[in-house]
Amino acid sequence: MKKIKKETRKEDQLHDLVTLDGYTETYELECGGAKNHHDLRMFTYASIQSATNNFSSDYKLGQGGFGPVYKAKTSEGRDIAVKLLSRQSGQGLLEFKTELILISKLQHVNLVKLLGFCLHGDNKMIIYDYMPNKSLDFFLFKPSNREHLSWQQQFNIIEGIAQGLLYLHKHSRLKIIHRDLKPSNILLDEDMNPKISDFGLARIFKLYVSEANTTRRAGT
């Protein structure tokens, strides 16, 4: 009986996590079983712990407002990035849910690909494809690194970011304003293609709405 109650409570917590209210509609992430249209995977904590060598500093890629990001490798040999929600983070559960749900519903070559998530007690993690060329700020704000970007690469990055934004604003299933677009949130893959990331502060709009007021100051 206790096991059934525990499983029911866990299912309720998961449902609450993947349901986003308070914008213009209610959005729900479908995960698990035949309803999983996005191949979203729920990673076990043990697998993430092992893949990051117990969140070793040697595996740490960086630190953002959300929390630390670690490089890891799955048991299948795939490189991944693990973003851990820090207890000290100014971003909380709403931002976590927003990012998790929005990215799972978005499919575009210039948006970062979400692979899954992990829950363990108070620990909440989002798992992405690993981007080997770091983020755009790494190249923009260091003159020696900037020289490594050819004009063609710069043009492709600019065009890719614009295409990603056009998709978010006009062509995606949801009309989304990112609200935190900055060089550190533009990731670069092995071919230097840009991927817009970090949707924790994004805002969803109904398709026919073109503007809205907000009482909360957020983003860039």
Side-chain angles (χ1 to χ4, degrees):
M1 186 69 176
K2 288 183 178 179
K3 185 177 180 180
I4 294 175
K5 287 184 177 180
K6 185 177 180 180
E7 289 178 352
T8 301
R9 186 165 60 249
K10 187 174 181 179
E11 288 178 2
D12 290 342
Q13 291 173 344
L14 181 59
H15 180 269
D16 179 65
L17 177 69
V18 299
T19 305
L20 181 63
D21 298 300
Y23 283 84
T24 55
E25 296 177 19
T26 295
Y27 299 94
E28 185 170 341
L29 169 66
E30 297 171 338
C31 57
K35 291 184 178 181
N36 186 358
H37 301 305
H38 308 286
D39 297 321
L40 200 59
R41 174 177 171 186
M42 188 170 180
F43 289 76
T44 65
Y45 183 71
S47 69
I48 297 299
Q49 197 173 30
S50 173
T52 58
N53 194 20
N54 199 22
F55 302 98
S56 166
S57 58
D58 294 336
Y59 287 69
K60 190 173 179 180
L61 294 172
Q63 178 87 26
F66 189 98
V69 181
Y70 297 87
K71 180 183 178 182
K73 191 182 288 287
T74 66
S75 57
E76 299 84 15
R78 182 173 188 170
D79 288 329
I80 58 174
V82 179
K83 185 154 70 168
L84 173 65
L85 175 60
S86 170
R87 292 183 177 87
Q88 289 75 42
S89 172
Q91 299 183 35
L93 182 59
L94 177 60
E95 287 81 4
F96 179 88
K97 290 168 64 172
T98 302
E99 183 159 12
L100 184 65
I101 294 170
L102 288 192
I103 300 183
S104 72
K105 292 180 177 292
L106 302 174
Q107 301 290 327
H108 191 273
V109 68
N110 295 118
L111 303 183
V112 69
K113 184 177 181 180
L114 177 66
L115 301 178
F117 62 99
C118 176
L119 305 174
H120 180 75
D122 292 331
N123 294 313
K124 298 175 180 65
M125 287 154 270
I126 300 178
I127 292 88
Y128 300 95
D129 255 343
Y130 170 66
M131 296 290 112
N133 282 313
K134 304 184 179 181
S135 55
L136 186 56
D137 61 332
F138 176 77
F139 292 91
L140 291 185
F141 303 129
K142 290 185 179 180
S144 59
N145 292 338
R146 197 182 310 155
E147 294 174 0
H148 293 296
L149 284 179
S150 68
W151 166 244
Q152 187 61 51
Q153 286 175 320
Q154 294 178 50
F155 180 83
N156 290 341
I157 290 170
I158 293 169
E159 182 183 36
I161 295 170
Q163 291 290 350
L165 286 176
L166 180 63
Y167 170 77
L168 292 174
H169 294 175
K170 190 173 182 180
H171 298 305
S172 68
R173 292 170 55 194
L174 308 175
K175 188 174 184 179
I176 295 168
I177 306 300
H178 188 281
R179 298 207 300 175
D180 198 20
L181 193 68
K182 54 188 177 183
S184 61
N185 287 337
I186 304 298
L187 304 182
L188 301 167
D189 69 9
E190 62 275 7
D191 297 317
M192 297 297 288
N193 296 310
K195 311 280 184 177
I196 298 173
S197 69
D198 201 340
F199 284 75
L201 298 179
R203 183 78 182 265
I204 310 168
F205 290 86
K206 289 183 178 179
L207 294 178
Y208 56 83
V209 175
S210 61
E211 62 181 65
N213 294 324
T214 178
T215 57
R216 181 187 179 195
R217 185 170 55 190
T220 300

